[in-house]
Amino acid sequence: MLKKDKIYYSAKFWLIQIVVAISFVFATDEVSLDFTTITEESIELTYNSSNSIYGFQFKVSGIEIVNVSNDVLVTQIGSEFIIGFSFTNDFLPSGSGILAEFTFLPTYLDRVISITDIVISGYNGELLPSLAPNQTT
Protein backbone atom coordinates (compact mmCIF):
# COMPACT_ATOMS: atom_id res chain seq x y z
CA MET A 1 0.00 0.00 0.00
CA LEU A 2 2.85 2.40 0.75
CA LYS A 3 4.34 2.00 -2.73
CA LYS A 4 0.97 2.88 -4.35
CA ASP A 5 0.73 6.08 -2.27
CA LYS A 6 4.24 7.08 -3.27
CA ILE A 7 3.47 6.52 -6.97
CA TYR A 8 0.16 8.43 -6.62
CA TYR A 9 1.77 11.47 -4.98
CA SER A 10 4.68 11.41 -7.41
CA ALA A 11 2.29 11.32 -10.38
CA LYS A 12 0.17 14.09 -8.83
CA PHE A 13 3.29 16.24 -8.29
CA TRP A 14 4.46 15.85 -11.89
CA LEU A 15 0.98 16.43 -13.31
CA ILE A 16 0.75 19.73 -11.43
CA GLN A 17 4.21 20.72 -12.70
CA ILE A 18 3.18 19.98 -16.29
CA VAL A 19 -0.09 21.93 -15.99
CA VAL A 20 1.71 24.96 -14.54
CA ALA A 21 4.37 24.84 -17.28
CA ILE A 22 1.72 24.62 -20.00
CA SER A 23 -0.19 27.55 -18.50
CA PHE A 24 2.97 29.70 -18.76
CA VAL A 25 3.51 28.68 -22.38
CA PHE A 26 -0.03 29.58 -23.42
CA ALA A 27 -0.47 32.63 -21.19
CA THR A 28 -1.10 35.81 -23.14
CA ASP A 29 -0.14 39.14 -21.74
CA GLU A 30 -1.38 40.94 -24.84
CA VAL A 31 -2.67 44.44 -24.55
CA SER A 32 -5.92 44.48 -26.49
CA LEU A 33 -7.09 47.79 -27.92
CA ASP A 34 -10.56 48.83 -29.01
CA PHE A 35 -12.29 51.92 -30.39
CA THR A 36 -15.20 53.15 -28.25
CA THR A 37 -17.37 56.25 -27.87
CA ILE A 38 -17.18 57.30 -31.52
CA THR A 39 -18.67 60.64 -32.57
CA GLU A 40 -18.35 62.85 -35.67
CA GLU A 41 -15.31 64.58 -34.12
CA SER A 42 -13.88 62.28 -31.43
CA ILE A 43 -13.05 58.70 -30.53
CA GLU A 44 -11.69 56.87 -27.50
CA LEU A 45 -9.08 54.15 -27.73
CA THR A 46 -9.46 51.80 -24.78
CA TYR A 47 -7.11 49.10 -23.50
CA ASN A 48 -7.36 45.85 -21.60
CA SER A 49 -4.07 44.62 -20.13
CA SER A 50 -2.78 42.34 -17.40
CA ASN A 51 0.26 44.66 -17.11
CA SER A 52 0.57 48.33 -16.25
CA ILE A 53 1.26 50.57 -19.26
CA TYR A 54 4.11 53.08 -18.99
CA GLY A 55 4.11 54.39 -22.56
CA PHE A 56 2.82 53.92 -26.09
CA GLN A 57 3.23 55.00 -29.68
CA PHE A 58 1.28 54.22 -32.86
CA LYS A 59 0.10 55.61 -36.19
CA VAL A 60 -3.52 56.55 -36.81
CA SER A 61 -4.91 56.71 -40.33
CA GLY A 62 -8.27 57.74 -41.73
CA ILE A 63 -8.68 60.97 -39.73
CA GLU A 64 -6.85 64.27 -39.27
CA ILE A 65 -6.15 64.47 -35.55
CA VAL A 66 -6.41 67.85 -33.84
CA ASN A 67 -5.77 66.77 -30.25
CA VAL A 68 -4.91 63.64 -28.27
CA SER A 69 -5.15 63.30 -24.51
CA ASN A 70 -4.75 60.92 -21.60
CA ASP A 71 -5.47 61.60 -17.92
CA VAL A 72 -2.17 60.11 -16.69
CA LEU A 73 0.44 60.18 -19.46
CA VAL A 74 1.80 63.11 -21.46
CA THR A 75 0.63 62.77 -25.07
CA GLN A 76 2.04 64.27 -28.26
CA ILE A 77 1.07 64.25 -31.91
CA GLY A 78 4.11 63.88 -34.15
CA SER A 79 4.38 64.02 -37.92
CA GLU A 80 3.55 60.31 -38.14
CA PHE A 81 3.16 58.93 -34.63
CA ILE A 82 1.14 59.60 -31.53
CA ILE A 83 3.08 58.99 -28.33
CA GLY A 84 2.22 58.79 -24.66
CA PHE A 85 4.83 58.74 -21.86
CA SER A 86 5.67 59.99 -18.39
CA PHE A 87 8.64 61.94 -17.03
CA THR A 88 7.69 60.94 -13.47
CA ASN A 89 7.17 57.16 -13.85
CA ASP A 90 3.38 57.46 -13.88
CA PHE A 91 1.53 54.60 -15.54
CA LEU A 92 -1.87 53.33 -16.59
CA PRO A 93 -2.89 50.54 -14.21
CA SER A 94 -3.45 46.97 -15.34
CA GLY A 95 -7.04 46.13 -16.17
CA SER A 96 -9.00 48.28 -18.56
CA GLY A 97 -9.19 52.00 -19.22
CA ILE A 98 -8.75 54.75 -21.78
CA LEU A 99 -5.40 54.71 -23.58
CA ALA A 100 -6.08 57.88 -25.59
CA GLU A 101 -8.90 60.22 -26.57
CA PHE A 102 -8.69 61.77 -30.03
CA THR A 103 -10.34 64.88 -31.36
CA PHE A 104 -10.24 65.15 -35.13
CA LEU A 105 -11.54 67.31 -37.95
CA PRO A 106 -15.06 66.20 -38.80
CA THR A 107 -15.49 64.40 -42.05
CA TYR A 108 -18.83 63.68 -43.59
CA LEU A 109 -17.45 61.24 -46.11
CA ASP A 110 -16.98 57.57 -45.47
CA ARG A 111 -13.87 57.13 -43.35
CA VAL A 112 -12.00 54.11 -42.09
CA ILE A 113 -10.02 54.69 -38.89
CA SER A 114 -7.18 52.30 -38.17
CA ILE A 115 -4.10 52.04 -35.96
CA THR A 116 -0.79 50.51 -37.04
CA ASP A 117 2.84 50.30 -35.88
CA ILE A 118 1.78 49.87 -32.25
CA VAL A 119 4.43 49.90 -29.52
CA ILE A 120 3.26 49.61 -25.92
CA SER A 121 5.74 49.52 -23.07
CA GLY A 122 5.50 48.21 -19.54
CA TYR A 123 7.75 48.63 -16.54
CA ASN A 124 11.39 49.41 -17.41
CA GLY A 125 10.51 49.73 -21.10
CA GLU A 126 9.43 46.09 -21.44
CA LEU A 127 7.73 45.66 -24.81
CA LEU A 128 4.16 44.44 -24.32
CA PRO A 129 2.60 42.53 -27.22
CA SER A 130 -0.54 44.21 -28.46
CA LEU A 131 -3.63 43.41 -30.45
CA ALA A 132 -4.78 46.28 -32.69
CA PRO A 133 -8.43 47.29 -32.69
CA ASN A 134 -10.61 46.46 -35.66
CA GLN A 135 -10.90 49.27 -38.18
CA THR A 136 -13.93 51.45 -37.59
CA THR A 137 -15.95 53.85 -39.68
Side-chain angles (χ1 to χ4, degrees), residues 37-112:
T37 316
I38 305 166
T39 71
E40 298 265 339
E41 299 175 352
S42 67
I43 192 168
E44 289 180 351
L45 179 63
T46 58
Y47 71 91
N48 190 351
S49 175
S50 59
N51 294 300
S52 297
I53 297 173
Y54 285 76
F56 60 82
Q57 77 176 36
F58 48 80
K59 289 182 183 179
V60 177
S61 61
I63 53 177
E64 188 175 338
I65 296 176
V66 175
N67 187 42
V68 61
S69 63
N70 177 284
D71 290 340
V72 177
L73 302 176
V74 175
T75 54
Q76 295 288 316
I77 304 169
S79 61
E80 289 190 28
F81 285 93
I82 292 176
I83 61 172
F85 60 93
S86 173
F87 289 113
T88 58
N89 212 25
D90 290 334
F91 59 90
L92 301 173
S94 61
S96 59
I98 298 172
L99 188 69
E101 296 177 73
F102 307 109
T103 305
F104 52 87
L105 295 177
T107 177
Y108 301 102
L109 304 173
D110 289 338
R111 64 175 187 246
V112 176

